[in-house]
Amino acid sequence: MTDSKPDAGRARILGMMQGYRDTSLVRAGVELGVFDGLAEAGLDPEVLAKRLDVDARGLTILLNALVATGLMEHDSSEYRLSPDAARYLVSARPGYVGHLTRILASDWEWDALKLLHEAVRHGGAVVDTHAETPNFRYWEDFAKHATLATGPTAELVADRLAPWLSTRDSVDVLDVACGHGIYGFTLARREPRARVRGLDWDNVVPIARRNAEEMGVDERVDFLIGDMFTTDLGGPYDVALITNVLHHFSQEDATTLLKRVGEATKPDGRVVVVGFTVGDQSPDRDPAPHLFSLLMLTWTRAGEVHSERVYREMFAQSGFARPEIHTVPGTPMRVLIAERA
Ligand SMILES: C[S@@+](CC[C@H](N)C(=O)[O-])C[C@H]1O[C@@H](n2cnc3c(N)ncnc32)[C@H](O)[C@@H]1O
C-alpha cells in the first residue's frame, strides 16, 4: 500500500516555495482592475484588454492563471468571476478586501521578507527603510486601509472601558502612534465627553484627521506630530492607547515607551495595549503571532510579538498594574488593559 503522507508533505513544501505566485496574481488582478472589469458580466479577453488598456496576450495569461486558482471561471470565449472573487474582489461591493493588498502584499513587506535569511543572521532588519523609519510611506497605506480586525477590536476596547469611563469626571485620551486613529475615534464616538489627542508622524496625521471628520468626531480631536519617544506628550490623560505598536520594539524599548506614557497618564488612569500576543499554546496551535513575528524581525531593529508574560513584566516595570487580557473573537489580537499603579 502506498503511504500518501510523504507526497502531501512534498506538495505542501513545493506549494510554500511558490506562494509568491498566488500573491502576485491577486495583486495584479486588483491593480489592473480585472475584477472590477468583470463585475457586471463575463467578457472576451480582447474586449476586457481594450477596456483596461492592457496587452490582450498578457491579460489572457493572467486570466487563465486566475481560472487555475479558482478566482475566475471560463466558458467558450468568456471569463467571469468566481463567487469568491465576485464577493470579495469587486471594489464597489461591501465584502471588498482588494485594498488590503496594499498592506498584506506590499512591496515594502516583500522587499524585507526576501531578505529574511539575512535578518535572521543579523538579528533584525537589514533593509534601509522599515517600520521604524520616520515618515515611512507604508504607514500611509496602513492608515488609509485599516485592517479588517481594527473595527471590531476598537469596539471591544470601547466596550471594556465604558463602565469605568462612565465614572470619570473627564475622558482625555492619548492615542500614541495612532495611524488611522480609529481606536481613539471609536471611543470618542461612543463617549461624548471624550477628547482625543492622536500622535504620529506628519505623513500619517492628515489621513487620521480625515478619518476623524468622516467619523464625525473631529471637533474633539487634535494631534501631536513627531517621534513618540521624544515628543512632549502633554497630559495628564485618563486613557492612553498604544495599539499595534509595542511589537515593533524590544522589551526594553517598549518598556521605555510605556514608562513615558505612564508619566503622561493620570494616577488612576488606564493604558490600553492592542496587538498580536503570544499565549501559552505551541506555535502550531496558534500560528498567527509567530508568522507575524517574522515581519517584525525583518522590519524592525529588535521587535517581535511579545508574550502575555512579557507584557505583564513591561506593565509592572513601567508603573501599570492589574492587567486584564481579552481575546478578540475571530482575530489573532489581544486587548490588554492595565491601571496606573
Ligand atoms: C502598526 S501602525 C499602528 C496604527 C494604529 N495604532 C493601529 O492600531 O492600527 C504603527 C504606527 O506607528 C507610527 N509610528 C512608528 N514609529 C513612530 C514613532 N517613533 N513616533 C510616532 N509614530 C510612530 C507609524 O507611522 C504608524 O502609523
Side-chain angles (χ1 to χ4, degrees), residues 2-277:
T2 326
D3 180 357
S4 66
K5 275 193 186 148
D7 284 343
R10 182 171 177 274
R12 200 174 69 81
I13 290 167
L14 296 181
M16 286 174 75
M17 290 179 188
Q18 299 168 77
Y20 68 94
R21 290 190 188 159
D22 281 352
T23 306
S24 310
L25 191 54
V26 72
R27 208 176 97 148
V30 169
E31 279 180 14
L32 294 172
V34 171
F35 304 108
D36 281 352
L38 294 170
E40 300 309 325
L43 289 176
D44 175 276
E46 298 277 345
V47 176
L48 184 61
K50 278 208 182 72
R51 281 194 195 167
L52 301 180
D53 194 22
V54 300
D55 177 72
R57 188 185 80 91
L59 181 64
T60 306
I61 292 172
L62 184 84
L63 289 169
N64 283 331
L66 287 165
V67 173
T69 55
L71 287 180
M72 207 66 78
E73 293 168 0
H74 183 226
D75 60 55
S76 62
S77 65
E78 282 187 0
Y79 290 84
R80 63 187 71 254
L81 301 180
S82 71
D84 283 346
R87 185 164 178 197
Y88 297 117
L89 292 171
V90 174
S91 61
R93 300 207 173 132
Y96 184 62
V97 294
H99 56 289
L100 292 180
T101 54
R102 305 299 295 262
I103 301 180
L104 302 177
S106 74
D107 286 343
W108 306 107
E109 278 194 33
W110 178 231
D111 286 346
L113 284 167
K114 270 193 298 198
L115 297 173
L116 175 59
H117 56 294
E118 292 296 347
V120 171
R121 276 199 189 107
H122 178 69
V126 293
V127 286
D128 292 334
T129 305
H130 54 68
E132 291 182 74
T133 307
N135 298 307
F136 186 28
R137 298 290 308 274
Y138 171 87
W139 294 130
E140 296 170 34
D141 278 341
F142 191 89
K144 283 182 197 148
H145 309 293
T147 65
L148 297 176
T150 306
T153 313
E155 294 292 345
L156 189 139
V157 168
D159 286 343
R160 296 293 161 186
L161 289 176
W164 175 74
L165 289 181
S166 69
T167 68
R168 308 285 300 169
D169 293 335
S170 60
V171 182
D172 290 336
V173 181
L174 173 67
D175 188 354
V176 180
C178 63
H180 40 68
I182 287 171
Y183 285 93
F185 307 155
T186 300
L187 267 185
R189 198 170 55 185
R190 294 268 301 264
E191 168 52 67
R193 293 172 307 141
R195 289 178 300 180
V196 178
R197 178 161 295 157
L199 183 155
D200 211 296
W201 298 116
D202 65 1
N203 60 326
V204 173
V205 162
I207 301 163
R209 208 187 294 279
R210 268 203 304 281
N211 287 340
E213 284 163 13
E214 277 169 24
M215 289 177 72
V217 295
D218 50 305
E219 288 186 354
R220 288 180 286 126
V221 169
D222 64 14
F223 293 95
L224 294 171
I225 291 176
D227 184 346
M228 60 191 164
F229 284 94
T230 54
T231 300
D232 181 354
L233 300 178
Y237 301 91
D238 299 273
V239 180
L241 304 169
I242 315 183
T243 62
N244 299 301
V245 172
L246 294 181
H247 47 236
H248 293 161
F249 305 105
S250 64
Q251 177 173 356
E252 192 184 350
D253 287 349
T255 305
T256 301
L257 182 59
L258 270 173
K259 273 189 192 148
R260 282 202 92 216
V261 168
E263 283 156 16
T265 308
K266 290 182 185 165
D268 58 348
R270 298 278 190 276
V271 66
V272 178
V273 171
V274 171
F276 286 90
T277 307

